[in-house]
Amino acid sequence: MSKVRTDTIAAVATPPGRSAIGLIRVSGPATFEVLKKIFKTGGKKTFPLPHCVYYGSIIEPGSGLTADKVLVTTFVAPHSYTGENLVEISTHGNMVVVSKVLQIILLNGARGAEAGEFTRRAFLNGKMDLLEVEAVSQLLSAGSMSQARLALNQLDGLPSHFVSRVRSRLLDHLVQLEASLNFPEDAIEAIDEHLLARDLKKILAELQIFADNARNGSMVAGGLKVALLGRPNSGKSSIMNYMLGRERAIVTEVAGTTRDTLEESLMIGNYSIKLIDTAGLREPGDRIEAIGIERTRRAVDEAFALIGVFDGADSPDGDDRLVMAELERAGKPFLVVRNKADLAQRLPDAFFEGKQQIVVSALKGYGLDQLVADLRRVIEESGLAEYEDLVLLGAQQSTALEKALTALARASAGAGQMYQDMLAIDLEEAVRELGRVNGETVDVNTLDLVFERFCIGK
Ligand SMILES: Nc1nc2c(ncn2[C@@H]2O[C@H](COP(=O)(O)OP(=O)(O)OP(=O)(O)O)[C@@H](O)[C@H]2O)c(=O)[nH]1
Ligand SMILES: [Mg+2]
């Protein structure tokens, strides 16, 4: 799909299968003409009045047969989701009936909508910017209430206002710069480079906070990664299985059982967590194990928090110290677990050096409640629970934001030092890239990438 279209589109908005109600949406300039051909209202009310609900029948024009008894809700441009004339037809939720009604609509002046086309029209008609579009996309795929709230928050438009305000401040500076470059002889006020530098520095700082909030937002939206770390045989896979409530990972007495990282989702409170089981950390015995350990290190780098698992029934060795060092090196929140508490204990308390150890037996299944409670506390203390500030960006938007930051950082460092034409180039790039974040400047190909992730009917 490459052009902006102004024809009339229709699609089923509810999932296939049997349900109480099926919903069909029609949007575009000819919406009411299409409906007038196929919809007979039950009462005397004139059709269509704006923003009304009508009870009536969908009639196949050729045969005059009734396809279904429906409710039709009317929305008149620009006060609709798409900004166009739009109706929502509630049918009975039988796919045979729903398909028949859609078919009649398509034979009488509408075309089948493509994935995301309703939202694309909302964007093109200025009903929402790209940040709000991203929020809709993430709201539809949210797997937890915290993810949904994050998206709903963004739909309120605060991130949109922020980006649009920053962009227009930069644009003002750019316009002034361009004017003084292009018309130096005119009586244009000379640019106060000191003031400019100060303002750019301020904007850069605000944008850096925004970018941090976007990074945190994508962590929450993607599920917070928590990696289990420990030497071979300490019981990582047993703990993973116990937390998931099923035998996901293979558990054996052979050290080095888990060779690759395993990732599974679970909910802790309102948070969606990705629990990652890893290959035990030690000096690798063979090439496969070496690769596994390499992946463990990568999982540590990507994780939001770590759980160190230690075998309480064994004396600590070099591998345990390696694990502890890795936990401390990573600079992330971590918990330490003394596993195998059902056996005689050989791991001295001193090994944990005053860190609060969580005593569990993955085999007998106790202590895990404490682990989950502590994990929840770690999330709450991280500030990620305060999703009011968090921002959701799609892949293209993240790249654009990073580019905008780099260009703005150059401009901010160079203001007062650099030639003004160089400064203008950096500012222009920052303005352009910010336009890609909120959609004020965006090309059709990027839009295709954004909307192809939507379902048909949205
Ligand atoms: N007694 C006892 N045995 C346990 C406990 N947790 C795990 N085990 C046993 O310890 C052995 C190793 O457990 P795993 O869960 O495979 O350990 P791992 O850390 O995933 O090991 P690798 O994948 O090899 O790194 C198995 O024989 C488990 O049954 C426990 O709490 N108590
Ligand atoms: Mg394992």
Side-chain angles (χ1 to χ4, degrees):
M1 187 162 65
S2 55
K3 277 206 314 257
V4 178
R5 291 172 173 165
T6 49
D7 50 0
T8 296
I9 54 173
V12 180
T14 36
R18 207 138 48 111
S19 58
I21 292 171
L23 192 84
I24 296 174
R25 270 179 160 174
V26 187
S27 176
T31 297
F32 296 124
E33 278 69 70
V34 174
L35 264 286
K36 278 181 197 161
K37 284 193 239 173
I38 62 167
F39 178 58
K40 192 164 160 276
T41 59
K44 292 201 196 77
K45 221 170 17 172
T46 330
F47 179 86
L49 291 172
H51 313 287
C52 279
V53 183
Y54 294 86
Y55 175 69
S57 310
I58 297 288
I59 312 278
E60 195 172 20
S63 64
L65 292 175
T66 299
D68 196 13
K69 300 268 185 198
V70 299
L71 283 181
V72 170
T73 313
T74 55
F75 301 86
V76 173
H79 304 292
S80 71
Y81 181 74
T82 55
E84 305 174 322
N85 285 343
L86 184 148
V87 296
E88 289 185 355
I89 307 173
S90 307
T91 66
H92 291 95
N94 174 325
M95 277 322 283
V96 179
V97 173
V98 174
S99 307
K100 182 68 190 172
V101 174
L102 181 64
Q103 187 197 36
I104 294 174
I105 293 167
L106 297 182
L107 286 173
N108 285 280
R111 147 179 87 72
E114 296 173 40
E117 202 171 357
F118 290 89
T119 309
R120 186 187 184 108
R121 288 184 174 203
F123 168 72
L124 293 173
N125 289 325
K127 299 295 287 188
M128 50 176 85
D129 72 357
L130 268 198
L131 287 155
E132 290 157 329
V133 166
E134 185 59 33
V136 170
S137 160
Q138 302 233 12
L139 183 58
L140 294 180
S141 60
S144 70
M145 208 44 223
S146 65
Q147 291 165 329
R149 269 201 209 112
L150 191 52
L152 283 168
N153 216 44
Q154 185 148 322
L155 267 182
D156 280 343
L158 271 184
S160 302
H161 289 151
F162 172 80
V163 173
S164 145
R165 210 179 57 235
V166 163
R167 185 169 177 271
S168 78
R169 277 162 79 188
L170 292 177
L171 200 54
D172 286 347
H173 287 308
L174 181 61
V175 168
Q176 274 190 17
L177 264 179
E178 294 285 0
S180 94
L181 280 167
N182 292 327
F183 309 105
E185 66 284 354
D186 290 357
I188 289 169
E189 225 181 298
I191 287 183
D192 182 338
E193 297 211 340
H194 184 69
L195 262 181
L196 174 64
R198 216 172 53 191
D199 200 36
L200 291 185
K201 203 168 149 199
K202 230 169 83 191
I203 298 175
L204 177 64
E206 288 175 26
L207 203 59
Q208 272 161 340
I209 294 175
F210 183 81
D212 281 344
N213 288 336
R215 275 178 223 116
N216 288 340
S218 68
M219 272 215 282
V220 172
L224 294 169
K225 291 189 174 178
V226 175
L228 290 156
L229 212 61
R231 73 170 204 211
N233 251 348
S234 53
K236 301 174 293 299
S237 297
S238 305
I239 289 181
M240 162 106 158
N241 289 344
Y242 189 74
M243 286 177 85
L244 293 175
R246 65 197 163 94
E247 300 301 304
R248 170 65 181 89
I250 300 171
V251 169
T252 72
E253 64 295 343
V254 180
T257 302
T258 307
R259 297 235 161 174
D260 203 349
T261 49
L262 282 180
E263 210 175 283
E264 285 295 326
S265 300
L266 81 151
M267 297 292 296
I268 292 188
N270 269 335
Y271 295 92
S272 164
I273 305 287
K274 282 212 170 119
L275 193 60
I276 303 171
D277 185 16
T278 65
L281 269 185
R282 66 170 167 187
E283 284 305 314
D286 61 27
R287 219 176 98 69
I288 302 174
E289 195 171 18
I291 295 171
I293 290 172
E294 189 47 48
R295 292 200 178 160
T296 300
R297 294 235 151 83
R298 212 175 315 142
V300 169
D301 288 339
E302 288 173 4
F304 147 76
L306 305 168
I307 300 176
V309 181
F310 299 90
D311 183 344
D314 203 359
S315 324
D317 64 6
D319 294 337
D320 287 313
R321 279 183 282 275
L322 181 70
V323 170
M324 194 58 103
E326 194 77 10
L327 291 173
E328 282 167 343
R329 178 203 65 89
K332 322 199 165 196
F334 67 86
L335 300 170
V336 290
V337 170
R338 170 195 290 272
N339 189 30
K340 308 199 187 180
D342 53 294
L343 302 175
Q345 298 294 289
R346 287 233 195 84
L347 183 68
D349 285 335
F351 176 78
F352 292 108
E353 293 168 338
K355 294 181 190 73
Q356 190 67 48
Q357 46 173 314
I358 306 163
V359 180
V360 316
S361 165
L363 189 74
K364 303 273 186 235
Y366 59 78
L368 269 291
D369 290 351
Q370 187 61 44
L371 177 56
V372 170
D374 283 1
L375 205 49
R376 189 175 179 149
R377 180 179 47 76
V378 165
I379 297 167
E380 280 162 5
E381 283 174 358
S382 70
L384 290 178
E386 283 137 38
Y387 39 78
E388 282 86 358
D389 290 334
L390 300 188
V391 177
L392 297 169
L393 296 184
Q396 285 89 17
Q397 289 169 305
S398 301
T399 314
L401 178 60
E402 292 304 326
K403 283 190 185 158
L405 267 178
T406 314
L408 182 58
R410 263 198 319 262
S412 165
Q417 331 266 333
M418 243 167 23
Y419 287 119
Q420 290 192 350
D421 52 350
M422 301 292 282
L423 205 57
I425 291 176
D426 286 335
L427 275 187
E428 205 220 315
E429 183 174 348
V431 166
R432 191 178 56 239
E433 295 301 334
L434 281 179
R436 293 195 166 128
V437 175
N438 69 359
E440 280 179 82
T441 51
V442 72
D443 53 77
V444 175
N445 291 342
T446 312
L447 283 189
D448 285 347
L449 289 175
V450 171
F451 290 103
E452 72 189 8
R453 289 180 302 147
F454 278 73
C455 42
I456 291 180
K458 191 67 198 177

